[in-house]
């Protein structure tokens, strides 16, 4: 029998410094031995968004501690690992650079193979880590920095079927929350208010839903919320709840409508969703219902593996390692790195990093 493969994975492309140890045993599958995430919410709270320089500095200061913790939790020594995987992009360049430099140091010090991973590939391969699914499948990455439909045909074969042309949905949730004076993080705040609101009192647009194709847009929706809010004389708590409900329904309808279309276009037996927005109950339920009526399996990995984490990077590293990929000390940090090199480039920089 072939020996087990144990990887440590490092992630630092946005505002989470993360490290995890994952082991793949032929015949037995994947096991997450540890998964450590150090967030930076408090550091950025005063600024209303992520400050790239603060994020980079925090990653540089925190990563080695997070790595040590991940090894301790897993009860694994660095020299017993088979290799080190690190997010090499896309993302905020200072953070990606911190991770790549840390991983290079560890690889050189311990004499281990180094593997650079595309952050989006980490998200896209997560269903294979959690549920050992086969190829092909369709993935919706939907968070504060990402929104795209990807057909996953192999560990290194991704077809981008469509995505946002401006904001990511999580970014829109965060902006709407700020606009309405709700506390961060925006998604859960808006969702909690929406439960109490009437989604039909204010009619908001469903951007691009009436157009063919799989591209999405959320920036106009946020502006529509702003107009509706400014149109109120003395807004009440009920007005706020109604606007949250209307906004959430609009995002839900757009994501559900485009998902139905993406499933038809991709012709796959499984649809999986990942990213912070997948935590939204109304959106998740709507996507599950779309899958039921299309007759495809629906998969939403547990939330700690949907949001940014080191386990998905370790796993993507193992997948690449098994295919024979190796990087060396010339591995570069890339602010932009499209998953599907053949797809048209995306617009916009994105508050939470590059939208690849
Ligand atoms: O995946 P994630 O932790 O980080 C990245 O953006 O990469 O996603 C965070 C995003 C934030 O924009 C947050 O507001 C949104 O996901 N989010 C939600 C919910 N929980 C988190 N959006 C809608 N409803 C939620 N319950
Ligand atoms: Zn991410």
């Amino acid at each position: 029998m072939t020996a087990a493969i144990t990887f440590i994975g490092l992630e630092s492309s946005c505002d989470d410094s993360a490290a995890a140890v994952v082991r793949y045993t032929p015949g037995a599958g994947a096991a997450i031995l540890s998964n450590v995430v150090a967030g930076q919410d408090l550091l950025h709270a005063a600024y209303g968004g992520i400050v790239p320089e603060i994020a980079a500095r925090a990653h540089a200061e925190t990563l080695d501690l997070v790595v040590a913790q991940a090894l301790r939790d897993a009860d694994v020594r660095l020299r017993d690992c088979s290799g080190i995987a690190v997010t090499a992009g896309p993302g905020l360049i200072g953070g990606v650079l911190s991770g790549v430099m840390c991983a290079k140091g560890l690889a050189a010090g311990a004499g281990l193979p180094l593997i650079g991973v595309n952050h989006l590939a980490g998200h896209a391969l997560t269903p294979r880590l959690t549920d050992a699914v086969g190829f092909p499948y369709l993935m919706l990455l939907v968070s504060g920095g990402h929104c795209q439909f990807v057909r996953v045909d192999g560990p290194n074969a991704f077809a981008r079927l469509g995505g946002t042309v401006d904001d990511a949905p999580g970014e829109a949730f965060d902006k709407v929350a700020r606009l309405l004076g709700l506390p961060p993080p925006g998604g859960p705040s808006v969702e909690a208010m929406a439960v109490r609101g009437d989604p039909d009192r204010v009619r908001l647009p469903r951007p691009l839903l009436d157009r063919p194709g799989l591209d999405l847009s959320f920036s106009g929706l946020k502006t529509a919320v702003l107009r509706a809010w400014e149109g109120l004389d003395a807004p009440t708590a009920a007005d706020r709840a109604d606007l949250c409900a209307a906004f959430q329904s609009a995002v839900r309808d757009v994501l559900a409508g485009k998902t139905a279309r993406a499933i038809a276009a991709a012709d796959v037996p499984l649809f999986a969703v990942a990213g912070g927005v997948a935590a939204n109950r109304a959106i998740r339920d709507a996507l599950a219902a779309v899958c039921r009526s299309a007759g495809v399996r629906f998969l939403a990995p547990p939330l700690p593996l949907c949001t940014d984490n080191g386990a998905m990077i370790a796993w993507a590293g193992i997948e690449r390692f098994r295919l024979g990929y190796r990087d060396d000390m010339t591995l570069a940090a890339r602010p932009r790195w499209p998953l599907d090199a053949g797809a048209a480039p995306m617009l916009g920089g994105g508050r939470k990093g590059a939208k690849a």
Side-chain angles (χ1 to χ4, degrees):
M1 195 176 101
T2 338
I5 302 171
T6 306
F7 258 66
I8 182 154
L10 275 62
E11 157 61 33
S12 57
S13 64
C14 191
D15 59 344
D16 291 307
S17 309
V21 178
V22 174
R23 176 169 293 156
Y24 171 74
T25 310
I32 299 172
L33 304 187
S34 64
N35 195 17
V36 179
V37 180
Q40 303 178 350
D41 286 351
L42 287 176
L43 295 179
H44 302 286
Y47 304 95
I50 294 166
V51 184
E53 289 74 15
I54 294 177
R57 190 174 295 256
H59 287 306
E61 287 168 355
T62 315
L63 267 173
D64 54 347
L65 302 175
V66 170
V67 165
Q69 185 69 44
L71 290 168
R72 252 195 320 272
D73 288 359
D75 199 14
V76 162
R77 290 170 306 182
L78 186 61
R79 65 173 176 275
D80 295 332
C81 290
S82 323
I84 296 169
V86 61
T87 299
L92 299 172
I93 190 62
V96 179
L97 207 50
S98 298
V100 168
M101 296 311 285
C102 179
K104 282 182 181 175
L106 292 171
L112 291 173
L114 171 71
I115 298 200
V117 166
N118 182 311
H119 175 85
L120 301 168
H123 281 303
L125 294 170
T126 296
R128 289 173 51 74
L129 167 63
T130 57
D131 293 80
V133 307
F135 300 112
Y137 56 92
L138 175 67
M139 190 83 204
L140 170 62
L141 306 179
V142 63
S143 69
H146 328 296
C147 183
Q148 54 184 299
F149 289 106
V150 179
R151 200 187 60 232
V152 186
D153 292 313
N156 201 31
F158 306 98
R160 189 181 165 285
L161 305 181
T164 184
V165 298
D166 42 53
D167 290 357
E171 196 176 352
F173 267 97
D174 294 336
K175 285 178 179 167
V176 163
R178 251 199 323 278
L179 179 72
L180 301 182
L182 299 172
S189 291
V190 170
E191 180 173 20
M193 287 298 282
V195 174
R196 287 178 263 153
D198 170 5
D200 299 318
R201 200 186 111 208
V202 183
R203 181 71 195 167
L204 296 175
R206 267 62 178 159
L208 300 189
L209 196 52
D210 57 345
R211 305 248 192 97
L214 292 171
D215 279 344
L216 305 107
S217 162
F218 296 97
S219 125
L221 195 50
K222 166 200 70 192
T223 312
V225 172
L226 173 66
R227 288 219 191 85
W229 181 244
E230 286 178 347
L232 296 165
D233 276 343
T236 63
D239 291 330
R240 196 184 263 124
D242 290 348
L243 263 178
C244 285
F247 168 76
Q248 182 175 279
S249 310
V251 175
R252 178 202 60 200
D253 289 355
V254 169
L255 288 176
K258 294 280 178 173
T259 294
R261 225 179 271 173
I263 288 173
D267 189 25
V268 288
L270 175 105
F271 169 82
V273 63
V277 179
N280 186 286
R281 178 50 61 189
I283 291 172
R284 202 177 171 116
D285 288 351
L287 298 178
V290 165
C291 288
R292 262 197 308 280
S293 50
V296 307
R297 185 176 161 207
F298 173 73
L299 192 65
L303 202 64
L305 297 175
C306 269
T307 54
D308 291 349
N309 65 86
M312 69 179 190
I313 302 304
W315 173 250
I318 289 174
E319 295 247 35
R320 288 179 76 74
F321 185 77
R322 291 176 67 204
L323 289 179
Y325 286 95
R326 303 288 184 275
D327 286 296
D328 58 25
M329 291 299 146
T330 63
L331 175 67
R334 301 171 63 172
R336 289 182 180 256
W337 184 1
L339 248 193
D340 176 1
M346 293 299 298
L347 303 172
R351 182 180 59 79
K352 295 191 82 177
K355 288 168 195 149

